[in-house]
Amino acid sequence: MSQATIKSFFKSPHFAVVGATPDPNKYGHKVFAWYLSHSLPVTGINPRTPTVLTHETLASLKDLADPKGPLVSFITLPQAT
């Protein structure tokens, strides 16, 4: 992946993490926390968890105000992905 591709990715106005979880041992938590720690606008997506790191999550990408807007990181079990 080129530096230009990476820079382009992080210029997105919004991000979403499918699989965001409050469990600090799971990658869904680590990825969501990374976005937050870098002050990037991110929404957690998890139908079973209403909040992660004090941020409200949504049940589905369809629940986003603009479902086609954010760049999405999918952090789910292989069988779910």
Side-chain angles (χ1 to χ4, degrees), residues 24-35:
N25 297 309
K26 294 189 174 184
Y27 285 107
H29 179 89
K30 294 173 185 184
V31 171
F32 188 71
W34 185 91
Y35 281 106

Side-chain angles (χ1 to χ4, degrees), residues 2-14:
S2 72
Q3 288 294 328
T5 301
I6 293 168
K7 285 181 182 180
S8 175
F9 179 86
F10 287 110
K11 285 184 181 177
S12 175
H14 195 92

Side-chain angles (χ1 to χ4, degrees), residues 13-42:
H14 195 92
F15 301 90
V17 176
V18 174
T21 176
D23 185 341
N25 297 309
K26 294 189 174 184
Y27 285 107
H29 179 89
K30 294 173 185 184
V31 171
F32 188 71
W34 185 91
Y35 281 106
L36 292 173
S37 71
H38 288 83
S39 301
L40 294 169
V42 63

Side-chain angles (χ1 to χ4, degrees), residues 41-58:
V42 63
T43 300
I45 309 293
N46 188 323
R48 297 184 195 131
T49 304
T51 60
V52 175
L53 294 170
T54 71
H55 292 266
E56 184 178 332
T57 63
L58 300 176

